[in-house]
């Protein structure tokens, strides 16, 4: 049968019949002939579209008397010249026959270019039109480079494009077959028909490019990478809002589609014409508005791609920037991202604007409202930017902003109001804005008061046009209903909304023709009669209710509730997730039947309204479905109470985090390296932090902020937060660092602190402290190595308040870092029996401490800077409160002058050295003597604690230094030769009246080095690696002290080495701890009476580092749900 059909059509080709006779042949028989056979056999398409489009256009018919006159001799003279182009083109056609219609089109384009070069001077207006249109088809050459282009199963746009090419090229070959020039009128008709054919092919080419990834980018980035990175960093742009986001193959996808071929033609042409209009009268903004589901986003997407990816050679404008709003992602539903993203796009296209933005843009306005951003990031820099001198045409850019109604709350309307006002006030020559949103009557009235406006009411498009567009879409999608009553019912039901038609098509996708007919008969039979009483939204609601009824009809009780929970969670998650994540969020003791299979089942039955991207994340086709579900009146028993569901998801997130977060969650083997140097870290993070745990960690606070207030007092979430702050919040910061979103920790905790402040101030203060700690870590180089959340940031955190103080109790083997305060204060003792506290920044006396009855010989600060101890020749030690200036405690017991005092690094003990040849240890909490150390044979002049508080060193007139074991009170070692001493835990520096300084190794009790000096005292330098001698003159000599760590230093722009804050092992290979440079490392000394500089002491002796770092943590019992 197939052979007979083909033979029959070959006969028709050899004996051409009138066009109407060909059209009467059975459609099914023609469809059985392949596209390749059509072109090879030059069989014209016999579709209804061919009959409509093959007629000469009215514009091409010359109705002048001259044209109608039988006298044609002048035209015959012209034919000798003008027929050359057309004849040459028609003669070339047989040479470009190929089985692939794309190659035929490309061959045709090349032939036109060749002929144009030959006949450039002998072409009339129509032939120039043919040449221009045909030449644009050369863009298709890019398509031939990718074999995937020809896969019609994976590339439906290729199928549509080939169909158009087959039909139109068949007409062209038929025209060649019938080409017999008898008179001028026929020749003119022939040229116009060729022009129309090529224009339809070129339009199909544009749609083909719009619907696929095959694109010739008109965009060229004109700025250098460093400027590009500078602007991206400062503007904090949204990449998901770019129309190219899905096309570029990003991590997640948005189902954006261009207008179907043949639909929305008039609207699109109007927009293109407006965009290309360079006249001064052309409006600066085009606002397309209409109801949800009316196809605005498809139009905006088509326009954006049209002016960036396909374009025409005669375009006067290019896409300068775009922002496609969407509720499905955080960064695309906030108005604050719109302008900063648009100006970033524009800077990539316009170098002058990029440079102006860098120099005059006020980047701090990224955190302000739309009006401030428009003024400071767009209007100002654009006005100051200078066009490139050597450009022949003025710069003109189109800005596309879609779906402003998807911006949270009233953000979209506020943004549009600001944009309209700015355009009205300032203009913006060279920029045009195409904006879509739902209608806003107040804004409509406002715009109508402006002189510059361009409104296009989508709902006011002539009914016939909307009807025709939707009819074409339905006929292509459901061809078996063409010409039948069912098509009329479908069209009536769609009621002018593309989303209704598209939802119907998807709903029918998995149903047989008989099932489709039954549905139409049951549910759409009275649509026409009721259409006057129902608006388009109510008709769409009816369809949504039916889709949900299909899913839930057979479920009751818990089975119904669980599936409804799943559906609501699909739409309430703040970032779209997979079915497995949704199931894991919902499963609990009360909902133990929920699993991934159930979630997949719900999704599979909702294919008409939901879909998954290539990461299996669940997304909705259109926001109208979400709007429907959150409206109790519209969705009835399927209503989603968003606020209540966000409370459920808040509790679910904490349940997931309580079960999943733990110390060293990614099993990091060593603290000595950066995360980036751990080649296997990424894979371990993916295994240890599940998508559900990742989602919960990122979004728990947003769900909390959206949840409904409870009638319970107190709110149960407060208890959950209190438990979370005990320790697990620290593991949460660790996980967020591994997920590379540590920067969110501080704002999340501060937002929750603000929420908690309404109910429990003490909890709010702890959340605020935790937020400050999170910021301290996330903004520090320590965050480059996750173990240093504990080893560095927790160890060096300066405040000892809750909850950080409680956290430290679980980490006994982190390094000890003790600080003397902020270095602002200087304390001095004098012979007038007074202790004075000075402000180091002003030089003024802050307070005078009175109480001693003899000369004050020594003073010392506690490590936290809150206390001062003083020793006097009245034989007492007094401890003063820095804040009040009052004596907190008096320590008495020495029988001679107290020459030196020192605090232990943890502030629990005071040591005092006296002329009575003893050293006394005092308990700060009781004021009682803990032990009296006696072994010196001369007056004891100085005393110092080791940084870990386990040993004490004292210097005496007996020319020795003794090292004491505090726990036993026994002498560990005797270092003979000097009398004044300081100690760092492993080394002692001593000074003597013999004008030398010795450095001692405490473990060996031997002098490590001898430093000659003309002074009589010694201290450690501020960086902890040098020893400085001398107290009584301005001359100081410095000797190098090689300790068990060294500071990492890098050269600054001036070539000077500056510390980074990292302490390295002596080999320089291992990173031991990060100590902020602002915390000046120095060794505490007992011979200084002035606290001249802030200093900190690092004790690494008992710290677990390197491959032992996991030992810093002492586990606590796991907290179970409900506790």
């Amino acid at each position: 049968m197939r052979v007979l059909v083909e033979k029959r059509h070959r006969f028709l080709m050899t004996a051409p019949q009138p066009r109407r006779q060909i059209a009467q042949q059975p459609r099914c028989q023609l469809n059985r002939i392949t596209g390749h056979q059509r072109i090879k056999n030059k069989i014209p398409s016999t579709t209804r579209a061919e009959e409509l489009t093959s007629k000469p256009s009215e514009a091409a018919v010359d109705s002048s008397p001259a044209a109608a006159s039988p006298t044609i001799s002048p035209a015959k003279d012209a034919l000798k010249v003008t027929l050359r182009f057309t004849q040459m083109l028609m003669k070339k056609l047989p040479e470009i026959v190929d089985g692939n219609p794309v190659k035929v089109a490309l061959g045709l384009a090349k032939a036109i270019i060749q002929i144009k070069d030959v006949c450039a001077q002998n072409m009339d207006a129509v032939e120039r039109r043919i040449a221009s249109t045909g030449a644009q088809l050369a863009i298709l050459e890019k398509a031939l480079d990718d074999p995937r282009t020809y896969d019609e199963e994976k590339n439906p746009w290729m199928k549509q494009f080939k169909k158009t090419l087959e039909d139109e090229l068949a007409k062209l070959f038929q025209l060649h077959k019938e080409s017999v020039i008898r008179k001028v009128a026929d020749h003119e008709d022939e040229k116009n028909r060729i022009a129309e054919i090529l224009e339809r092919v070129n339009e199909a080419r544009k749609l083909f490019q719009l619907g696929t990834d095959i694109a010739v980018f008109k965009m060229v980035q004109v700025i250098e990478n460093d400027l590009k990175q500078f602007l991206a960093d400062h503007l904090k742009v949204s990449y998901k809002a770019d129309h190219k986001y899905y096309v570029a193959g990003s991590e997640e996808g948005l189902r954006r589609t261009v207008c179907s071929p043949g639909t929305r033609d008039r609207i699109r042409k109007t927009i293109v014409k407006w965009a290309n209009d360079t006249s001064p009268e052309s409006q600066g903004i085009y606002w397309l508005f209409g109801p949800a589901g009316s196809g605005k986003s498809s139009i905006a997407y088509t326009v954006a791609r049209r002016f960036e990816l396909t374009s025409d050679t005669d375009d006067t404008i290019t896409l300068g920037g775009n922002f496609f709003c969407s509720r499905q992602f955080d960064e695309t539903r906030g108005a604050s991202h719109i302008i900063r993203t648009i100006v970033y796009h524009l800077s990539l296209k316009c170098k002058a604007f990029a440079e102006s933005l860098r120099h005059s843009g006020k980047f701090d306005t990224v955190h302000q409202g739309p009006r401030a951003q428009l003024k400071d990031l767009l209007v100002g820099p654009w006005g100051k930017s200078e066009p490139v001198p050597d450009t022949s045409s003025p710069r003109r850019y189109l800005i596309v902003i879609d779906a402003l109604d998807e911006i949270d709350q009233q953000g979209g309307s506020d943004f549009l109001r600001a944009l309209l006002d700015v355009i009205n006030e300032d203009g913006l020559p060279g920029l045009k804005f195409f904006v879509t949103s739902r209608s806003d009557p107040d804004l409509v009235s406002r715009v109508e008061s402006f002189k510059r406006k361009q409104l296009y009411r989508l709902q006011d498009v002539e009914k016939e046009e909307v009807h025709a567009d939707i009819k074409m879409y339905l006929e292509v999608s459901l061809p078996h209903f063409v010409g039948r009553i069912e098509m009329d019912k479908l069209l009536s039901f769609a009621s002018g909304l593309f989303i209704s038609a598209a939802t119907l098509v998807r709903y029918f996708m998995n149903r047989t023709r008989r099932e489709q007919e039954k549905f139409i008969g049951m549910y759409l039979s009275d649509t026409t009669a009721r259409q006057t009483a129902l608006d388009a939204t109510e008709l769409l609601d009816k369809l949504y209710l039916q889709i949900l009824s299909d899913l839930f009809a057979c479920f009751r009780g818990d089975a119904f509730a669980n599936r409804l929970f799943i559906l609501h969670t699909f739409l309430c998650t703040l970032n779209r997730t997979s079915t497995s994540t949704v199931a894991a969020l919902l499963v609990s003791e009360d909902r133990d039947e929920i699993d991934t299979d159930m979630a997949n089942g719900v999704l599979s039955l909702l294919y008409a309204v939901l879909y998954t991207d290539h990461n299996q994340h669940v997304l909705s086709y259109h926001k109208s479905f979400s709007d429907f579900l959150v409206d109790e009146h519209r969705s009835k028993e399927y209503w989603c109470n968003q606020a209540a569901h966000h409370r459920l998801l808040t509790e679910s997130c904490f349940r997931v985090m309580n079960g999943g977060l733990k110390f060293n969650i990614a099993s990091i083997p060593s603290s000595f390296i950066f995360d980036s140097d751990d080649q296997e870290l990424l894979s371990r993070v993916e295994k240890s932090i599940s998508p559900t745990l990742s989602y919960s960690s990122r979004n728990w606070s947003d769900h909390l902020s959206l949840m409904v207030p409870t009638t319970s007092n107190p709110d149960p979430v407060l208890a959950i937060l209190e438990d979370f702050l005990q320790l697990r919040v620290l593991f949460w910061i660790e996980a967020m660092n591994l997920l590379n979103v540590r920067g969110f920790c501080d704002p999340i905790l501060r937002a929750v602190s603000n929420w908690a402040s309404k109910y429990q101030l003490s909890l709010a203060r702890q959340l605020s402290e935790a937020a400050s700690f999170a910021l301290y870590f996330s903004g520090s180089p320590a965050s480059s190595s996750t173990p240093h959340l504990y080893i560095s940031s927790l160890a060096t955190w300066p405040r000892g308040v809750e909850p950080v103080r409680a956290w430290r109790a679980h980490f006994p083997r982190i390094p000890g870092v003790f600080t003397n305060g902020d270095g602002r204060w200087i304390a001095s003792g004098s012979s007038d029996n007074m202790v004075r506290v000075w402000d180091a920044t002003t030089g003024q006396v802050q307070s005078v401490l009175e109480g001693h009855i003899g000369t004050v010989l020594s003073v010392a600060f506690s490590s936290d800077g809150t206390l001062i101890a003083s020793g006097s020749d009245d034989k007492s030690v007094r401890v003063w409160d820095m804040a009040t200036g009052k004596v907190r405690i008096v320590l008495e017991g020495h029988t001679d002058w107290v020459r030196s005092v020192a605090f232990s690094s943890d502030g629990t003990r005071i040591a005092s050295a006296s002329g009575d040849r003893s050293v006394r240890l005092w308990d700060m909490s009781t004021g009682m003597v803990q032990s009296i150390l006696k072994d010196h044979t001369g007056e004891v002049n100085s005393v110092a604690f080791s940084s870990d508080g386990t040993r004490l060193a004292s210097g005496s007139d007996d020319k020795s230094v003794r090292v004491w074991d505090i726990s036993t009170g026994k002498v560990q070692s005797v270092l003979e030769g000097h009398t004044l001493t300081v100690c760092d835990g492993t080394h002692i520096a001593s000074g003597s009246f013999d004008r030398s300084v010795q450095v001692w190794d405490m473990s060996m009790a031997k002098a490590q080095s001898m430093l000659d000096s003309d002074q009589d005292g010694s201290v450690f330098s501020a960086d902890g690696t040098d020893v400085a001698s001398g107290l009584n003159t301005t001359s100081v000599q410095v000797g190098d002290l090689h300790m068990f760590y060294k500071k990492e230093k890098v050269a600054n722009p001036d070539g000077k080495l500056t510390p980074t804050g990292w302490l390295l092992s002596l080999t320089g290979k291992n990173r031991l701890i990060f100590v902020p440079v602002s915390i000046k490392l120095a060794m505490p000394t007992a011979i200084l009476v002035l606290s001249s500089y802030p200093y900190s002491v690092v004790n690494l002796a008992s710290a677990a580092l390197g491959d032992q770092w996991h030992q810093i943590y002492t586990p606590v019992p796991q907290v179970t749900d409900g506790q």
Side-chain angles (χ1 to χ4, degrees):
M1 178 66 184
R2 176 168 182 160
V3 174
L4 291 175
V5 171
E6 291 180 352
K7 286 183 177 179
R8 178 186 177 193
H9 282 285
R10 288 194 183 101
F11 172 76
L12 288 173
M13 287 297 296
T14 56
Q17 302 295 318
R19 185 175 296 273
R20 60 181 179 274
Q21 293 180 7
I22 298 175
Q24 291 170 357
Q25 301 304 323
R27 187 184 183 104
C28 60
Q29 292 182 351
L30 288 175
N31 287 341
R32 294 183 63 179
I33 301 176
T34 67
H36 292 181
Q37 290 167 334
R38 284 184 184 174
I39 292 180
K40 287 182 177 179
N41 298 323
K42 307 176 183 59
I43 301 176
S45 172
T46 57
T47 63
R48 181 171 179 268
E50 174 187 321
E51 296 179 48
L52 294 173
T53 59
S54 61
K55 298 175 183 178
S57 65
E58 294 179 7
V61 177
D62 189 349
S63 58
S64 65
S69 172
T71 305
I72 57 174
S73 57
K76 285 184 177 180
D77 294 337
L79 263 160
K80 296 178 181 178
V81 177
T82 59
L83 290 186
R84 188 178 178 190
F85 177 88
T86 308
Q87 286 178 329
M88 291 181 68
L89 176 61
M90 299 306 284
K91 288 180 180 179
K92 280 276 187 181
L93 287 181
E95 301 175 12
I96 58 176
V97 173
D98 191 281
N100 187 329
V102 179
K103 291 185 177 181
V104 174
L106 180 58
L108 183 62
K110 291 180 177 179
I112 290 173
I113 293 172
Q114 292 173 356
I115 299 170
K116 177 184 175 183
D117 292 340
V118 175
C119 304
Q121 304 302 320
N122 300 323
M123 295 167 57
D124 61 16
V126 177
E127 288 175 331
R128 283 194 295 271
R129 175 176 148 207
I130 293 173
S132 175
T133 305
Q136 292 183 59
L137 296 177
I139 295 173
L140 291 172
E141 188 165 11
K142 184 176 177 63
L144 300 178
D145 295 336
D146 189 350
R148 294 173 298 178
T149 301
Y150 308 111
D151 189 341
E152 295 183 19
E153 295 299 322
K154 296 182 179 180
N155 187 354
W157 286 95
M158 184 62 186
K159 184 176 182 180
Q160 178 67 37
F161 183 47
K162 286 175 66 175
K163 173 67 168 59
T164 302
L165 285 176
E166 289 165 1
D167 291 346
E168 298 301 330
L169 293 176
K171 295 174 188 176
L172 191 61
F173 280 104
Q174 180 66 22
L175 185 61
H176 165 66
K177 193 76 176 178
E178 300 171 353
S179 180
V180 177
I181 300 177
R182 302 185 180 91
K183 55 185 178 179
V184 174
D186 287 341
H187 171 60
E188 293 300 321
D189 175 63
E190 181 181 75
K191 286 197 300 182
N192 278 294
R193 289 170 65 184
I194 293 173
E196 290 169 3
I197 289 171
L198 291 180
E199 284 172 355
R200 286 192 293 270
V201 170
N202 197 40
E203 283 300 312
R205 184 270 303 175
K206 294 176 188 176
L207 290 172
F208 172 58
Q209 286 184 257
L210 288 173
T212 66
D213 291 348
I214 299 167
V216 178
F217 281 76
K218 197 172 184 179
M219 181 187 73
V220 176
Q221 294 185 7
V222 296
I223 61 176
E224 300 297 332
N225 284 334
D226 58 343
L227 177 54
K228 177 182 177 183
Q229 190 61 50
F230 171 84
L231 294 175
D233 291 343
H234 284 75
L235 293 170
K236 299 177 176 61
V237 301
S238 168
Y239 294 99
K240 293 179 180 178
D242 191 348
H243 78 94
K244 300 185 294 296
Y245 172 67
Y246 182 77
V247 175
S250 300
E251 293 179 358
E252 297 166 287
L254 288 174
R255 190 66 63 88
R256 295 175 180 141
T257 57
V258 298
C259 298
S260 299
T263 64
R264 323 323 302 263
D265 283 344
R266 191 174 70 84
I267 295 174
R268 287 189 289 110
K269 288 177 181 178
T270 302
I271 296 168
V272 170
K273 181 179 179 181
W274 161 80
N276 280 317
D277 188 352
T278 60
S279 67
E281 296 78 20
S282 181
Q283 299 85 354
I285 187 167
Y286 192 125
W287 179 19
L288 183 69
F289 59 89
S294 52
K296 302 182 301 295
S297 291
S298 290
I299 293 172
Y301 184 55
T302 304
V303 169
R305 291 175 64 80
R306 159 71 172 75
F307 281 104
E308 181 160 80
L309 305 184
T310 57
S311 69
D312 274 346
T313 54
D314 54 353
D315 280 344
T316 64
I317 197 167
T318 188
L319 186 70
N322 69 102
F323 193 98
F324 280 71
C325 309
S326 172
R327 294 179 190 172
Q328 310 210 56
F329 305 104
D330 285 337
E331 65 190 62
T332 58
R333 59 170 173 255
S336 63
H337 281 84
I338 299 177
I339 287 300
R340 61 201 205 200
T341 300
I342 286 171
V343 298
Y344 175 70
H345 291 169
L346 187 58
S347 69
L348 299 181
K349 308 288 185 68
C350 181
K351 185 175 182 179
F353 174 71
E355 293 291 349
S356 177
L357 181 62
R358 173 160 62 175
H359 292 105
S360 63
K362 299 177 181 178
F363 293 105
D364 55 345
T365 57
V366 297
H367 303 295
Q368 299 180 24
R371 181 177 291 276
Q373 290 190 21
L374 280 163
K375 290 285 189 179
D376 295 338
L377 297 177
L378 183 59
V379 175
W382 181 255
K384 295 177 182 178
S385 62
E386 295 293 335
V388 180
D390 58 353
T391 54
S392 57
S393 59
R395 51 183 184 167
R396 301 184 69 252
Y397 299 99
L398 175 67
I399 308 297
V400 175
I401 305 173
D402 175 58
L404 277 173
D405 48 283
E406 296 215 15
I407 296 296
D408 286 341
Q409 300 175 348
Q410 295 298 312
S413 292
D414 292 343
F415 173 85
L416 185 53
R417 182 175 289 104
L419 176 62
L420 292 167
D421 287 346
V422 167
I423 295 294
N424 187 53
E425 296 165 5
D426 300 292
L428 275 172
L431 296 182
K432 285 192 170 185
F433 293 82
F434 176 70
V435 182
T436 75
S437 74
R438 297 186 193 183
S439 180
D440 186 327
D442 292 337
L443 280 182
V444 172
S445 299
R446 187 179 186 87
V447 173
E448 287 176 346
S449 68
F450 296 161
K451 294 181 180 179
R452 299 169 57 85
K453 58 182 179 290
Q454 175 83 11
L455 297 180
Y456 194 103
R457 296 175 182 269
L458 194 63
Q459 63 269 40
D460 288 344
V461 176
E462 295 180 5
K463 290 184 178 181
E464 291 76 10
E465 183 180 349
V466 178
H467 185 84
D469 284 345
I470 294 179
K471 181 179 181 182
M472 180 176 293
Y473 171 77
L474 288 172
E475 286 180 345
V476 171
S477 303
L478 303 170
H480 46 282
F481 288 135
V482 173
R484 297 176 53 179
I485 188 64
E486 287 86 352
M487 180 60 69
D488 295 334
K489 292 181 178 180
L490 290 171
L491 284 168
S492 179
F493 179 85
S495 190
L497 294 183
F498 267 88
I499 186 59
S500 296
T503 304
L504 274 170
V505 168
R506 289 192 297 269
Y507 183 66
F508 284 169
M509 189 183 303
N510 292 341
R511 283 168 168 72
T512 65
R513 184 182 300 185
R514 178 59 188 150
E515 289 173 327
Q516 294 173 12
E517 292 171 348
K518 184 177 180 181
F519 176 88
I520 294 172
M522 290 179 61
Y523 299 108
L524 306 186
S525 58
D526 62 343
T527 299
T528 304
R530 296 180 58 197
Q531 193 164 1
T532 55
L534 295 176
D535 63 20
T537 300
E538 290 177 298
L539 290 172
L540 185 59
D541 288 353
K542 182 179 178 182
L543 176 57
Y544 285 152
L545 285 170
Q546 182 57 46
I547 291 171
L548 293 176
S549 176
D550 289 350
L551 167 61
F552 291 101
C554 58
F555 298 109
R556 298 289 184 274
D558 289 344
F560 176 90
N562 288 338
R563 285 164 176 79
L564 197 59
F565 276 133
I566 290 172
L567 171 59
H568 292 170
T569 305
F570 282 154
L571 301 178
C572 283
T573 49
L574 298 167
N575 290 305
R576 294 305 176 237
T577 58
S578 65
T579 53
S580 59
T581 296
V582 167
L585 283 171
L586 292 176
V587 67
S588 66
E589 292 181 0
D590 298 333
R591 298 182 295 273
D592 57 353
E593 295 177 353
I594 293 180
D595 57 17
T596 302
D597 289 340
M598 182 182 290
N600 284 330
V602 171
L603 176 64
S604 66
L605 293 174
L606 292 175
Y607 61 87
V609 289
L610 302 177
Y611 70 97
T612 58
D613 63 11
H614 62 280
N615 283 328
Q616 302 306 306
H617 295 161
V618 180
L619 297 96
S620 61
Y621 280 105
H622 198 267
K623 59 184 177 295
S624 59
F625 182 60
S626 301
D627 293 342
F628 161 78
L629 275 179
V630 299
D631 188 320
E632 184 176 11
H633 174 71
R634 295 168 61 192
S635 55
K636 300 179 173 50
E637 68 268 29
Y638 307 112
W639 173 53
C640 174
N641 184 339
Q642 282 185 295
H645 202 73
H646 282 301
R647 175 172 287 275
L648 181 151
L649 290 177
T650 300
E651 296 172 353
S652 295
C653 287
F654 277 109
R655 176 180 50 76
V656 170
M657 290 192 295
N658 287 341
L661 294 173
K662 63 181 181 179
F663 171 72
N664 194 16
I665 191 171
S667 302
I668 296 175
S670 174
S671 67
F672 285 159
I673 61 174
F674 286 147
D675 291 350
S676 58
D677 296 327
D678 186 345
Q679 301 300 319
E680 299 178 357
L681 180 60
L682 181 60
S683 62
R684 295 200 307 273
V685 169
E686 290 176 351
K687 291 178 182 178
S688 58
I689 302 180
S690 68
T692 308
L693 180 56
S694 175
Y695 176 86
S696 300
S697 297
R698 296 168 190 256
N699 296 288
W700 62 270
S701 67
D702 289 326
H703 286 301
L704 184 148
S705 67
L706 295 169
M707 68 184 188
V708 66
T710 180
T711 56
S712 303
N713 189 16
D715 192 313
V717 173
L718 294 172
I720 294 174
L721 285 171
E722 285 182 323
D723 176 70
F724 187 62
L725 275 178
Q726 294 302 307
L727 184 61
R728 194 160 280 108
V729 65
L730 202 56
F731 302 155
W732 170 71
I733 297 172
E734 176 188 337
M736 294 288 277
N737 193 60
L738 292 169
L739 292 169
N740 292 317
V741 288
R742 57 183 172 272
F744 291 109
C745 294
D746 169 57
I748 283 176
L749 291 170
R750 293 200 186 280
V752 177
S753 175
N754 290 336
W755 176 86
S757 65
K758 304 172 187 175
Y759 310 101
Q760 191 172 323
L761 287 177
S762 60
L763 176 62
R765 283 194 294 268
Q766 289 197 37
L767 284 163
S768 180
E769 183 73 2
S772 297
F773 174 80
L775 181 61
Y776 178 71
F777 170 67
S778 64
S780 162
S783 61
S784 299
S785 179
T786 298
H788 287 269
L789 167 66
Y790 311 97
I791 293 172
S792 295
S793 294
L794 185 58
T796 61
W797 179 246
R799 294 195 290 269
V801 297
E802 299 298 348
V804 180
R805 181 166 58 187
W807 299 346
R808 282 179 174 149
H810 297 286
F811 298 90
R813 296 194 62 189
I814 60 175
V817 180
F818 311 101
T819 306
N820 83 322
D822 60 6
R824 180 180 177 183
W825 311 113
I826 298 174
S828 65
S830 67
S831 58
D832 64 0
N833 307 338
M834 306 291 186
V835 175
R836 287 176 173 80
V837 179
W838 308 74
D839 188 322
T841 60
T842 65
Q844 300 297 313
V845 174
Q846 179 70 20
S847 59
V848 178
L849 311 180
E850 300 183 50
H852 283 294
I853 57 175
T855 299
V856 179
L857 301 175
S858 63
V859 294
F861 282 93
S862 63
S863 61
D864 61 4
T866 61
L867 301 175
I868 295 176
S870 58
S872 169
D873 64 8
D874 65 6
K875 306 174 186 178
S876 72
V877 176
R878 292 177 182 255
V879 180
W880 312 83
D881 189 313
M882 271 283 292
T884 64
K886 303 296 184 181
V887 174
R888 179 175 290 190
I889 192 169
V890 179
L891 309 176
E892 296 180 319
H894 281 293
T895 58
D896 203 338
W897 297 355
V898 178
R899 297 174 178 272
S900 180
V901 291
F903 280 96
S904 63
S905 56
D906 61 4
T908 61
R909 296 184 180 96
I910 288 180
S912 58
S914 173
D916 63 8
R917 303 181 182 181
S918 72
V919 174
R920 292 187 179 232
L921 283 176
W922 309 85
D923 187 323
M924 272 296 298
S925 63
T926 64
M928 303 300 293
V929 174
Q930 280 189 334
S931 58
I932 302 174
L933 310 179
K934 292 185 176 181
D935 195 54
H936 282 292
T937 59
E939 295 180 357
V940 185
N941 300 310
S942 62
V943 67
F945 281 95
S946 65
S947 57
D948 62 1
T950 62
R951 287 167 290 183
L952 191 72
S954 58
S956 170
D957 281 349
D958 63 11
K959 299 182 180 180
S960 72
V961 175
R962 280 170 166 72
V963 181
W964 310 81
D965 185 323
I966 291 178
S967 63
T968 65
K970 302 296 184 182
V971 175
Q972 274 191 342
S973 56
V974 178
L975 314 176
E976 296 182 342
H978 283 180
T979 59
L980 303 178
T981 183
V982 294
C983 176
D984 77 324
T986 62
H987 296 77
I988 296 173
S990 61
S992 174
F993 290 104
D994 63 6
R995 302 183 184 277
S996 68
V997 176
Q998 288 194 15
V999 179
W1000 305 82
D1001 186 318
M1002 290 179 63
S1003 64
M1004 303 185 337
K1006 293 182 178 179
Q1008 210 175 46
S1009 60
M1010 175 75 75
L1011 309 176
D1012 293 330
S1013 173
D1014 60 354
Q1015 309 307 325
D1016 57 3
S1018 64
V1019 297
F1020 281 89
S1021 68
D1023 68 0
T1025 62
D1026 297 316
V1027 175
S1029 62
L1031 293 178
N1032 296 333
T1033 73
T1034 59
S1035 174
V1036 177
Q1037 296 182 354
V1038 178
D1040 185 29
L1041 175 63
H1042 295 286
M1043 301 178 61
F1044 59 96
Y1045 65 79
K1046 63 180 181 180
K1047 289 187 173 183
E1048 181 185 59
K1049 296 183 179 182
V1050 296
N1052 62 21
D1054 297 329
K1056 182 180 179 181
L1057 291 177
T1058 58
T1060 65
W1062 282 104
L1063 302 186
L1064 309 177
S1065 62
L1066 291 178
T1067 63
K1069 295 181 179 179
N1070 300 326
R1071 297 183 180 276
L1072 305 177
I1073 183 175
F1074 177 84
V1075 180
V1077 177
S1078 59
I1079 301 178
K1080 297 177 180 177
L1081 287 179
M1083 296 308 162
T1085 172
I1087 63 172
L1088 282 177
V1089 295
L1090 303 182
S1091 178
S1092 303
Y1093 301 97
Y1095 60 79
S1096 294
V1097 182
V1098 177
N1099 174 29
L1100 302 176
S1102 60
L1105 305 176
D1107 59 5
Q1108 302 298 311
W1109 85 274
H1110 59 279
Q1111 297 178 12
I1112 63 173
Y1113 171 57
T1114 299
V1116 294
Q1118 291 292 321
V1119 178
T1120 58
D1121 291 345
Q1123 291 185 330

